[in-house]
Amino acid sequence: MVKQIITVDPLTRIEGHLKIKVEVENGVVTNAFSCGEMFRGWEIILRDRSPLDAPPIVQRICGVCPMPHGIASVIALDNAFNVEPAENGRIIRNLLLGAEYVHSHILHFYHLAALDYVDITAILNYKGLDPKLNKIKDWVKSDIDAGLSSAGAPFLPRYEGDYIKDTDVNISAIASYVKALEIRRKAHEMLAIFGGKVPHCQTLFPGGVSTILTLDRIIAFKSRLSEIRSFINNVYLPDVVGVASLYPDYFKIGKGVGNFLSYGGFPLDNDGTTFFPSGVFISGSLKDLNPKLVAEFVKFSKYSSGSGLYPLNGQTTPDAKKDGAYSWLKAPRYENNVVEVGPLARAVVSYFKGSMPEYKNLIDNVLSNLNLKPQDLVSTMGRHAARALELKVLTDKMDEWVDQLDPNKPVHNKFNIPKTSEGFGLVEAGRGSLGHWISIDNWRIKNYQAVVPTTWNGGPRDDNGNMGPFEQALIGTPIADVNNPIEIGRVIRSFDPCLACAVHILNGDEKILKFKIC
């Protein structure tokens, strides 16, 4: 038996440096290590600042998904200030977060993940009249003919593998790739309408938002949403189903831990009811969520501080040379259980909770068309399907929320900053469960913590040696060619990793890190 070691570094196409190291025996992955290769220090910047500084600052954790961080932060302030958002404010926050989902999900499928399946070289055989596709064809051909090492970048170079064979299907996918760029711009325009600017919106505020709500803005948002919903129904969903039908084996690959967590997302009122339900699915059983059972472990992380701490009490001291540590990510756990978060987790919790019959029916219809069972959704290709299906039901709901806005009512409620308090904000970001925790003393931020989706999914082993979700998903993955391990990228990218978020770093050592926001 020959053991081979494969290292892919970096694996991610955007947002941070993720290194994946696997051991392969007889063409199958038998061991895996997920390594976060960056160190950052955002929460250090927040110490001793006004709590109102938190929402704009934490959005800088990520340039792709700033909105979830901003909303989690402002919900944490709501909680700490004991203020409820005005109805208009709550709805606008939902619309902002929903627009972020649109941008993030479409970015993920077309511009980050589809390149693992679509044969971009098929564009050289294009014979149609679309000026954009002909421009791509001429550019790629010109670069290749010139012998440029960067020819076709970012599409090329690439691993060799079992790309889609059908030229027409490939060209159609490339056309969708181009159209998706326009749709992402529309989503950013929606964010700017109610957020002031994007990325890093300026209107998130305790008690709601600071947006000036007008009929013109409502109409502008709704018109763009209509175009986006058409793209989701007529392009995105068919493309995902089409790719899934061509790669049925990936409904058996990348299953992972099989435990799932959802904080619940998009509040429908101020009493805790959410559009995507909260819950924890562990060992085949659905349980109610208890946020107090969240803890982060650091035995295999590059920190020398306490392990197994609830985030509000978390303390992190960097230790780059720590023996046995192989990642700058922590290892979050729920009641000591490894759990996956993200679109698939939301699908599983929603499916078994039964509170969203329209979502369950949509999942069942797609599975039936592909001759699959619900358990097959727990897989590499299932994550792509869950992401597309949830965007369908979410944008349909957003169309209803826009109509509920009333320009004659306030967008936020008044509040006072307490001298001493603490709070937390839980949201479902596009990539999964996101939590921000804050403690306030003498009207200033004493401690600030964030536990993000890719920390949940991409973290290393915990103190008991249990692998994280990325690592478990890789076990059993067949590798056809160790020199072209395309399968590793397909499995991990199905989670939509964001290392910039995951290694934002909690409470670093001020002697090592000193930053100033100008």
Side-chain angles (χ1 to χ4, degrees):
M1 183 179 297
V2 178
K3 179 186 293 185
Q4 297 171 295
I5 297 176
I6 301 174
T7 300
V8 183
D9 182 17
L11 181 138
T12 40
R13 289 190 167 109
I14 194 172
E15 287 302 333
H17 302 288
L18 171 66
K19 178 173 74 176
I20 295 293
K21 179 180 177 181
V22 302
E23 297 175 2
V24 178
E25 297 181 11
N26 296 325
V28 175
V29 175
T30 58
N31 202 3
F33 300 86
S34 173
C35 312
E37 294 288 277
M38 296 194 304
F39 181 80
R40 306 172 78 210
W42 281 104
E43 279 123 330
I44 301 166
I45 300 171
L46 289 167
R47 289 184 193 164
D48 299 322
R49 288 180 175 268
S50 166
L52 298 181
D53 288 345
I57 288 177
V58 299
Q59 290 183 70
R60 271 71 182 175
I61 287 173
C62 181
V64 170
C65 52
M67 187 57 60
H69 287 289
I71 291 180
S73 181
V74 82
I75 291 175
L77 295 187
D78 288 345
N79 187 238
F81 296 175
N82 194 28
V83 59
E84 293 182 344
E87 183 179 11
N88 273 335
R90 173 183 56 77
I91 294 171
I92 289 174
R93 289 180 186 177
N94 283 348
L95 293 173
L96 288 169
L97 184 56
E100 179 72 56
Y101 267 57
V102 171
H103 172 262
S104 186
H105 284 8
I106 290 175
L107 162 68
H108 169 257
F109 181 72
Y110 287 104
H111 305 135
L112 301 181
L115 299 179
D116 292 330
Y117 305 93
V118 175
D119 184 0
I120 188 65
T121 64
I123 194 68
L124 297 174
N125 298 315
Y126 179 64
K127 296 180 174 61
L129 300 177
D130 187 308
K132 293 179 181 178
L133 294 183
N134 276 311
K135 189 173 183 179
I136 295 174
K137 174 184 176 180
D138 293 342
W139 157 63
V140 173
K141 186 177 186 303
S142 174
D143 279 7
I144 291 176
D145 290 346
L148 298 179
S149 59
S150 60
F155 309 116
L156 304 171
R158 62 181 184 175
Y159 284 134
E160 296 301 319
D162 56 332
Y163 293 98
I164 295 171
K165 300 293 191 297
D166 189 297
T167 298
D168 291 339
V169 172
N170 280 307
I171 290 175
S172 176
I174 296 168
S176 296
Y177 180 107
V178 175
K179 181 64 177 179
L181 293 169
E182 179 183 341
I183 295 299
R184 284 175 54 200
R185 176 173 59 81
K186 296 285 185 179
H188 267 180
E189 290 173 357
M190 290 162 61
L191 282 163
I193 288 168
F194 289 139
K197 65 183 288 290
V198 65
H200 315 137
C201 92
Q202 299 171 309
T203 59
L204 294 178
F205 206 62
V209 295
S210 61
T211 304
I212 297 175
L213 183 58
T214 65
L215 185 59
D216 286 349
R217 289 183 174 176
I218 293 172
I219 294 172
F221 190 99
K222 191 175 178 68
S223 66
R224 288 164 175 79
L225 178 61
S226 176
E227 184 176 351
I228 286 169
R229 291 174 66 207
S230 177
F231 177 84
I232 292 168
N233 291 329
N234 300 314
V235 182
Y236 182 32
L237 275 169
D239 282 349
V240 171
V241 172
V243 171
S245 66
L246 294 173
Y247 292 88
D249 49 329
Y250 276 90
F251 281 103
K252 306 297 182 183
I253 296 171
K255 287 186 173 295
V257 62
N259 295 335
F260 301 96
L261 178 145
S262 170
Y263 285 152
F266 299 91
L268 300 178
D269 52 40
N270 290 327
D271 297 324
T273 304
T274 54
F275 179 62
F276 290 124
S278 65
V280 187
F281 187 85
I282 296 177
S283 300
S285 177
L286 185 65
K287 303 177 181 179
D288 291 336
L289 173 76
N290 180 358
K292 294 288 186 180
L293 298 179
V294 173
E296 291 189 295
F297 295 84
V298 299
K299 181 177 181 179
F300 293 95
S301 305
K302 297 179 181 182
Y303 308 102
S304 57
S305 53
S307 193
L309 300 177
Y310 177 59
L312 193 61
N313 305 317
Q315 297 178 352
T316 304
T317 304
D319 187 354
K321 298 181 179 180
K322 178 179 173 181
D323 288 342
Y326 60 90
S327 180
W328 284 107
L329 277 68
K330 288 187 173 183
R333 298 292 183 262
Y334 181 85
E335 200 173 13
N336 295 318
N337 291 286
V338 183
V339 294
E340 177 180 334
V341 302
L344 178 56
R346 289 189 287 268
V348 170
V349 171
S350 299
Y351 192 93
F352 287 100
K353 202 155 193 176
S355 58
M356 298 179 67
E358 72 280 15
Y359 191 19
K360 184 179 185 300
N361 291 338
L362 188 60
I363 292 172
D364 285 336
N365 287 338
V366 170
L367 290 174
S368 176
N369 290 336
L370 293 170
N371 295 316
L372 298 169
K373 298 178 181 179
Q375 56 265 35
D376 293 323
L377 199 65
V378 182
S379 61
T380 296
M381 200 55 67
R383 292 185 188 96
H384 290 293
R387 192 172 281 107
L389 293 174
E390 79 167 8
L391 198 57
K392 156 69 176 172
V393 296
L394 174 60
T395 52
D396 286 350
K397 193 66 176 178
M398 288 171 65
D399 195 52
E400 298 178 19
W401 288 337
V402 177
D403 292 337
Q404 295 171 11
L405 292 171
D406 186 346
N408 297 313
K409 293 183 178 180
V411 294
H412 69 83
N413 290 324
K414 294 181 179 180
F415 62 88
N416 293 307
I417 302 176
K419 181 178 181 180
T420 303
S421 186
E422 61 185 36
F424 63 92
L426 306 179
V427 304
E428 279 299 308
R431 291 173 173 86
S433 302
L434 170 66
H436 283 223
W437 285 259
I438 187 172
S439 61
I440 300 168
D441 186 47
N442 200 30
W443 297 285
R444 293 289 182 177
I445 297 174
K446 180 181 179 181
N447 190 16
Y448 200 98
Q449 308 281 318
V451 182
V452 312
T454 301
T455 316
W456 280 104
N457 289 335
R461 290 154 172 79
D462 58 29
D463 292 20
N464 294 318
N466 298 310
M467 294 180 176
F470 281 8
E471 297 170 334
Q472 293 197 37
L474 285 167
I475 302 301
T477 298
I479 305 296
D481 178 1
V482 294
N483 295 312
N484 290 280
I486 191 171
E487 299 88 352
I488 295 174
R490 286 173 173 172
V491 170
I492 297 302
R493 273 192 275 272
S494 71
F495 288 88
D496 192 9
C498 177
L499 268 291
C501 288
V503 293
H504 61 280
I505 301 309
L506 313 178
N507 268 354
D509 187 336
E510 291 186 17
K511 294 180 181 178
I512 297 177
L513 288 177
K514 287 187 179 291
F515 294 96
K516 180 179 180 182
I517 292 291
C518 298

